[in-house]
Amino acid sequence: MAEGGFRYIGRKRRPREDRRFVAGAGRFVADLALPGMLHVALVASPYPAARLVAIDARAALALPGVRAVLTGAELAQATEALASGLDIPQVRRFPLAVGRARYVGEWVAAVVAETRAIAEDAAELVDVAYEPLPFVIDPEAAIEPGAPPVHPEHGSNLLYRRTFTWGPVAEDFAAAEHTLSFRARWHRSATVPIETFGVVARWDEAARLLDVWASIQMPKYPDQLARALRLPGNAVRVHFDVDVGGSYGVKRGIKHSVLAGYLARKLGAPVRLIEDRLENMRGGDAHGPDRLFDVACAFTSDGIVRSLRLRALDDAGAYAGRAPLQLGKPVGAIVGPYRIGSVEYEAISVTTNKTVQEAVRGFGQSPTNFALETMMDRVARQLGIDRVELRRRNLIRHEQFPYTIPSGSTYDSGDYHAVLAKALDAAGHADLLARRDAARAAGKLAGIGVACCLEPSGGNSAFEPLFNPKNETTTWMESCTVKVDLSGAITAAMGTSSSGQGHETLVATIIGEVLERDPETIRVVHSDSLTAMPSNSPVGSRMAIMLGGAAAGAARTLKAALLAVAAHDLGVTEAELEYRDGGVRLRRDPASGRSWDALVEIAHRKFHKLPPGMAPGLQAMHVWEVPTGGALPTADGRVQMYPCYAFETHVVYAELDRATGQVTLGPYVIGHDCGTMINPDIVHGMTYGGAAHGIGAALYERFRYDENGQLLSGSFMDYLIPSAHEVPDIAIVDHCTPSPLTAFGQKGSGEAGYLGAPAAVASAVNDALAPLGLAVAELPMTATVLGELLASAER
Amino acid sequence: MSQHEITLTVNGRRHAARVAARLTLVDFLRDELRLTGTHAGCEHGVCGACSVLLDGRPVRSCLIFAVQAEGAAITTVEGLAPEPGALGVLQDSFCEAHGLQCGFCTPGMLIAAEALLRRTLSPSEEEIREAIGGNLCRCTGYKQIVEAIRIAAERLGGANLAPGTDHG
């Protein structure tokens, strides 16, 4: 038995998915080749705002191999507008621009041809007459009076604005010994998976059924697809057995899918749309938060932060899907891991003539954490208190859990001080300080970054009703089906696709744990959307909690059935029996009982031996509701948004090159607590990867626009993803505070690396700059930004 | 569009084909030979997902036209296994260290690592990072990939030693 009394959970076990990938036998959407499949290329707007005067497709259609050119006017007639997370009916979004293009790269027409090359050739022949219109790129300028409207019908460029006040903020500020305020900027970046988004759609006219294979990670995707295409839900079959080549939130190609689905039906042939890299970065609608923070806080001379005022202005881009809700998730952890007693939070979502924003890892929590941690560093600096000590004074203490924050969420469990201490120990904090000081004495710019972060996980999507009262969503369930066949083999099914999180391993491990059967023998499959039970897809670090809970529930039902069958067959009560190693035996006589095979045989063949009322066969389905879920927000916006809260502390050493502004990182240590880990290699892997992603957001990655509204970073030559050279060797030190709310004490994982790293790197860079009297609260801190700052300081 | 006859060897098997001049090697491998293990990530030569060995050297198959591979010997991820259904030591080491998550960059990583391990079986961490420095991974932060390659080098290096030699 491993730690915690588990047989398989928490042990080093190879993730089962890995084998097919190292063999080159993954099944990604671009690997599908259906007979007669057609290919889509897009015609993109070169203007940030323009009226579409005319589209002349004659030359394109004349090219041999071209089958169709579709415009937004036709598509908008035949489909419903795509769903938005906000109540903004006049901000209508379709896969292709209708009458007006609103950002550079927006799809204006789709060309379908027999090969992708021909489609691309033909796309260049589509002649679009544009009438350029005024546009706005800067989110603050966008809400100034007289700003060019992105959606004139909507009336302004403001999509959402609400000020929440939780607790006596005004009083706390009035009574404060100290206050400080600053502005922080999180520039636009994203997760940018190495696989672009892709979809293949095929319409079967005889069955009146649309089959869809997609590189998708999106809640309610089949439902939204069916609604947009004006089909009943059971006329769309999404195949979830497609391997998704990374997502981390953004793989939500609903517009691509509606387009491909419509074309497949219209043309009577399978249609494939695979983004190329530029399409992915420009017209694919997969940018991340683009956020401006105004932060103020009130604190005591001892450094205890009493109150927080946070204004977050976020640039959603030209349309609003689910992305503006990324201002909502931070409500569930608005004070981070700290005991801040009152909060005012103003959330503002703005539309501009930029690429549309999509969900990114952490769903808005990483930028917010950067703002909060920058605030903690500044409080420490203002008071001359050590940054670590300041955090110790403000962190929620172990004995205070469960702990309710001002915005209404209760944190389940944690031991933040222990994790902080472990991370500092593992990093050799005292040695790091000596190393930093020696480097400084040698004339270098050196700094240490410390940052904490929470990973709210397994949520019930409560930001939906919070930001749109017409949306009464209070559940965000997940399901798992488990069956034992006549041979005694176990097969489990989940209702969603995976993008690297190892869900097959998760499910097999948990079922193996409950039924005491070797997980290696358990097959796990991805259902299609018609056979699947309800799922909300792997978002919000929810699968260990929610799919894990569903799998455990189904397995426990089977275990109960096996016990009942054995009791009936042996003529004893269940209390006289115990379940062991997949069989059932008498407590008083462990040599007697019924083996797994015997019980399976009874269940499948011997109805006469089954307990009265029991259905034959051995199968169970379990739908798990979010623990602590089920309630709507209060009138003042308090809500339990997530059940479980994982925690991390990041400690990183950085040196900054005076001449070039380049930052070198390492050592880098993460203290990590996500409760019980189901598979440590998977948890650690996502944490390393999340941190690498956060390093990218902190130092390198930015979707930059020029004053003409042109995207300047639409390739990997100018949008810089960290390589093995930039990402240091990260060390993780584990801690385990089990969640009292989940099947095995597990919490969510996958985001925290990304939630902590930007704040930690920013903290390190600012520590390095501190001796020069410089500070920067803008990410990414590119070499250009830092180089110019250093140069200006020398002048 | 001019067409060209080419002959090349892929994973030990000879292929003759007629290809358009503009057909890239990655599209040829994926679409014509249906070797879909090689992935197209950026199609502009940065991400490395499409890496294959061309006459033993790692190249980006998105930056090479199929016609340029005339007469070459190509190894793709499908050619790394010693026999169908089995895994090579390098592939197995990626499983051992969980040196992957979504699996999309993995074939390119394996090719880059294979090229390294053909040069040396005692690479330093710096050499490993250099070898995969042109391959982007968005999932792993590279740590477990570096570890996987280190394990593979150790195992392959150990296999070269005389039986009974203590190399643990």
Side-chain angles (χ1 to χ4, degrees):
Chain A
M1 292 268 173
E3 202 178 329
F6 296 121
R7 198 180 270 250
Y8 303 114
I9 287 173
R11 296 200 167 208
K12 173 163 178 70
R13 299 178 56 80
R14 289 185 172 197
R16 58 178 47 211
E17 293 87 346
D18 292 1
R19 190 177 170 90
R20 67 174 181 266
F21 293 129
V22 300
R27 187 166 177 267
F28 297 91
V29 67
D31 301 342
L32 262 77
L34 302 182
M37 189 164 71
L38 303 175
H39 301 258
V40 179
L42 286 316
V43 178
S45 169
Y47 297 103
R51 194 168 71 83
L52 305 179
V53 179
I55 298 176
D56 182 351
R58 284 172 299 180
L61 287 166
L63 198 68
V66 173
R67 297 283 289 271
V69 175
L70 178 68
T71 64
E74 177 185 336
L75 190 61
Q77 284 297 313
T79 59
E80 296 298 315
L82 303 176
S84 170
L86 300 174
D87 183 19
I88 42 171
Q90 295 309 313
V91 179
R92 288 160 62 79
R93 179 187 178 208
F94 291 93
L96 302 176
V98 185
R100 183 182 180 113
R102 293 181 168 86
Y103 64 94
V104 167
E106 181 172 7
W107 300 347
V108 168
V111 180
V112 190
E114 287 161 11
T115 70
R116 175 176 150 187
I118 294 172
E120 289 183 10
D121 289 344
E124 291 182 8
L125 298 176
V126 175
D127 186 15
V128 183
Y130 296 94
E131 178 193 326
L133 295 168
F135 60 90
V136 61
I137 293 301
D138 179 73
E140 287 192 293
I143 49 174
E144 291 291 321
V150 179
H151 295 266
E153 315 77 20
H154 178 65
S156 84
N157 292 325
L158 192 64
L159 297 176
Y160 181 82
R161 178 177 221 149
R162 182 171 172 186
T163 302
F164 301 90
T165 305
W166 301 297
V169 177
E171 293 86 336
D172 286 345
F173 269 82
E177 295 174 79
H178 302 272
T179 61
L180 65 72
S181 63
F182 65 97
R183 176 164 266 216
R185 184 74 169 97
W186 175 286
H187 286 293
R188 185 173 274 245
S189 58
T191 69
V192 196
I194 306 300
E195 182 208 44
T196 60
F197 181 80
V199 56
V200 175
R202 180 182 66 193
W203 173 256
D204 182 334
E205 182 60 34
R208 298 196 61 76
L209 180 64
L210 184 73
D211 277 299
V212 177
W213 296 263
S215 177
I216 195 78
Q217 181 210 4
M218 180 177 176
K220 313 272 198 283
Y221 170 72
D223 180 70
Q224 287 197 22
L225 190 48
R227 280 173 199 269
L229 290 168
R230 295 175 182 156
L231 291 168
N234 61 8
V236 172
R237 179 166 60 188
V238 178
H239 296 264
F240 290 125
D241 57 352
V242 173
D243 288 316
V244 178
S247 173
Y248 335 96
V250 299
K251 287 270 180 76
R252 309 216 177 169
I254 184 69
K255 79 171 188 182
H256 315 55
S257 306
V258 171
L259 175 60
Y262 174 77
L263 286 169
R265 190 172 177 188
K266 174 188 164 91
L267 301 174
V271 168
R272 174 173 117 149
L273 192 173
I274 307 285
E275 292 173 339
D276 66 16
R277 186 47 65 181
L278 176 61
E279 211 58 73
N280 171 261
M281 299 177 82
R282 195 181 62 175
D285 291 0
H287 286 193
D290 182 350
R291 206 167 282 191
L292 227 155
F293 293 99
D294 288 299
V295 187
C297 66
F299 50 100
T300 69
S301 298
D302 294 335
I304 306 298
V305 180
R306 297 282 191 217
S307 188
L308 164 69
R309 280 195 173 115
L310 187 64
R311 177 182 185 266
L313 187 150
D314 194 82
D315 180 350
Y319 298 89
R322 201 172 162 77
L325 301 179
Q326 294 186 98
L327 286 163
K329 175 167 181 173
V331 169
I334 196 70
V335 295
Y338 305 113
R339 288 174 289 125
I340 301 172
S342 63
V343 179
E344 179 186 285
Y345 177 50
E346 185 181 10
I348 309 165
S349 179
V350 172
T351 180
T352 66
N353 295 101
K354 287 185 195 117
T355 292
V356 180
Q357 190 188 120
E358 195 40 272
V360 156
R361 197 173 208 156
F363 211 62
Q365 191 74 17
S366 192
T368 308
N369 200 62
F370 158 64
L372 284 178
E373 289 298 297
T374 301
M375 175 185 86
M376 297 310 278
D377 276 4
R378 290 191 177 208
V379 169
R381 193 157 291 130
Q382 182 167 325
L383 293 174
I385 298 175
D386 175 68
R387 287 170 296 161
V388 173
E389 174 57 24
L390 184 96
R391 283 174 172 78
R392 282 196 197 102
R393 291 182 192 176
N394 284 281
L395 286 171
I396 299 162
R397 290 191 302 272
H398 181 53
E399 64 274 15
Q400 291 179 300
F401 290 95
Y403 184 89
T404 302
I405 64 170
S407 52
S409 282
T410 297
Y411 298 171
D412 56 334
S413 68
D415 193 344
Y416 303 160
H417 290 86
V419 176
L420 174 64
K422 275 191 178 180
L424 291 168
D425 274 359
H429 191 225
D431 294 342
L432 271 191
L433 286 168
R435 177 171 164 184
R436 178 195 68 180
D437 294 342
R440 284 180 179 175
K444 290 183 178 174
L445 295 176
I448 297 169
V450 179
C452 298
C453 66
L454 289 177
E455 180 171 7
S457 46
N460 50 29
S461 210
F463 35 73
E464 290 184 23
L466 185 65
F467 273 37
N468 178 5
K470 291 181 182 165
N471 180 339
E472 293 204 343
T473 296
T474 59
T475 181
W476 206 243
M477 66 294 201
E478 193 64 32
S479 320
C480 187
T481 308
V482 184
K483 68 168 190 176
V484 183
D485 62 30
L486 180 54
S487 79
I490 303 169
T491 303
M494 69 180 90
T496 183
S497 46
S498 302
S499 40
Q501 305 94 332
H503 299 136
E504 295 163 34
T505 301
L506 165 76
V507 169
T509 305
I510 283 177
I511 293 170
E513 186 71 41
V514 174
L515 292 177
E516 302 179 29
R517 303 290 289 178
D518 183 356
E520 291 307 313
T521 66
I522 299 172
R523 185 171 296 279
V524 182
V525 300
H526 300 257
S527 303
D528 64 60
S529 59
L530 295 187
T531 54
M533 295 300 138
S535 168
N536 280 290
S537 85
V539 296
S541 298
R542 62 191 295 274
M543 292 313 250
I545 298 168
M546 296 303 300
L547 179 59
R556 284 170 179 163
T557 303
L558 285 181
K559 189 173 174 177
L562 290 164
L563 273 163
V565 171
H568 186 69
D569 194 35
L570 290 162
V572 299
T573 66
E574 287 181 37
E576 293 171 79
L577 298 172
E578 64 182 358
Y579 185 98
R580 183 65 62 90
D581 297 334
V584 178
R585 66 190 194 185
L586 279 166
R587 289 181 192 277
R588 64 171 184 271
D589 177 14
S592 304
R594 291 289 179 268
S595 68
W596 173 267
D597 288 346
L599 293 170
V600 170
E601 179 85 4
I602 292 171
H604 275 280
R605 286 191 194 278
K606 301 173 181 171
F607 193 68
H608 60 286
K609 288 194 170 185
L610 280 181
M614 182 180 281
L618 263 179
Q619 52 282 322
M621 191 272 290
H622 193 94
V623 183
W624 220 50
E625 162 60 348
V626 177
T628 75
L632 287 168
T634 61
D636 67 349
R638 289 175 208 250
V639 64
Q640 182 72 41
M641 201 163 282
Y642 287 78
C644 302
Y645 289 79
F647 177 78
E648 274 184 4
T649 299
H650 291 228
V651 182
V652 57
Y653 179 82
E655 288 190 4
L656 176 52
D657 188 300
R658 280 179 192 273
T660 64
Q662 281 198 314
V663 176
T664 310
L665 300 175
Y668 196 128
V669 174
I670 299 174
H672 179 84
D673 182 359
C674 66
T676 303
M677 290 188 283
I678 309 296
N679 183 304
D681 280 352
I682 289 177
V683 168
H684 291 159
M686 292 193 290
T687 305
Y688 298 131
H693 181 195
I695 288 168
L699 296 177
Y700 307 108
E701 300 178 32
R702 180 172 171 188
F703 288 118
R704 187 184 289 276
Y705 283 81
D706 71 7
E707 66 276 14
N708 299 314
Q710 296 291 330
L711 176 67
L712 300 181
S713 40
S715 83
F716 286 160
M717 314 287 271
D718 28 44
Y719 185 96
L720 302 179
I721 288 178
S723 77
H725 295 300
E726 286 79 39
V727 181
D729 182 37
I730 297 167
I732 296 173
V733 52
D734 291 316
H735 190 79
C736 179
T737 314
S739 174
L741 304 173
T742 59
F744 306 100
Q746 74 272 34
K747 300 181 179 183
S749 197
E751 294 176 346
Y754 181 65
L755 304 185
V761 172
S763 172
V765 170
N766 275 294
D767 189 40
L769 292 171
L772 303 178
L774 298 174
V776 53
E778 174 184 352
L779 295 185
M781 297 175 178
T782 61
T784 310
V785 167
L786 294 174
E788 283 172 7
L789 184 70
L790 290 167
S792 69
E794 279 179 19
R795 283 196 288 270
Chain B
M1 196 66 58
S2 66
Q3 299 280 321
H4 301 261
E5 306 284 343
I6 58 167
T7 309
L8 72 173
T9 306
V10 181
N11 300 331
R13 205 173 139 194
R14 271 175 69 81
H15 294 270
R18 187 173 166 78
V19 297
R22 68 176 178 181
L23 184 72
T24 59
L25 180 58
V26 65
D27 284 348
F28 174 73
L29 293 169
R30 290 179 52 82
D31 298 340
E32 307 292 324
L33 302 188
R34 294 300 299 154
L35 292 169
T36 53
T38 301
H39 297 149
C42 71
E43 295 178 286
H44 57 268
V46 180
C47 79
C50 67
S51 298
V52 298
L53 294 179
L54 188 148
D55 293 332
R57 294 174 53 208
V59 298
R60 278 137 210 266
S61 61
C62 74
L63 291 186
I64 292 179
F65 293 113
V67 291
Q68 293 175 284
E70 163 65 27
I74 306 288
T75 303
T76 69
V77 65
E78 290 93 343
L80 293 181
E83 55 187 276
L87 295 184
V89 170
L90 177 63
Q91 292 165 306
D92 187 71
S93 300
F94 267 65
C95 295
E96 178 61 23
H98 190 41
L100 65 146
Q101 285 170 42
C102 78
F104 196 79
C105 78
T106 309
M109 286 289 176
L110 288 165
I111 291 293
E114 173 77 13
L116 170 72
L117 297 180
R118 286 185 184 185
R119 283 203 315 275
T120 171
L121 289 178
S122 52
S124 64
E125 173 166 341
E126 208 175 310
E127 285 175 297
I128 294 174
R129 285 183 179 266
E130 180 64 32
I132 61 166
N135 291 66
L136 297 179
C137 170
R138 204 58 162 155
C139 291
T140 64
Y142 308 101
K143 168 126 178 168
Q144 287 154 309
I145 295 175
V146 171
E147 175 69 4
I149 298 169
R150 194 190 58 72
I151 292 173
E154 210 170 273
R155 288 178 177 172
L156 289 165
N160 281 347
L161 297 174
T165 307
D166 181 10
H167 56 88

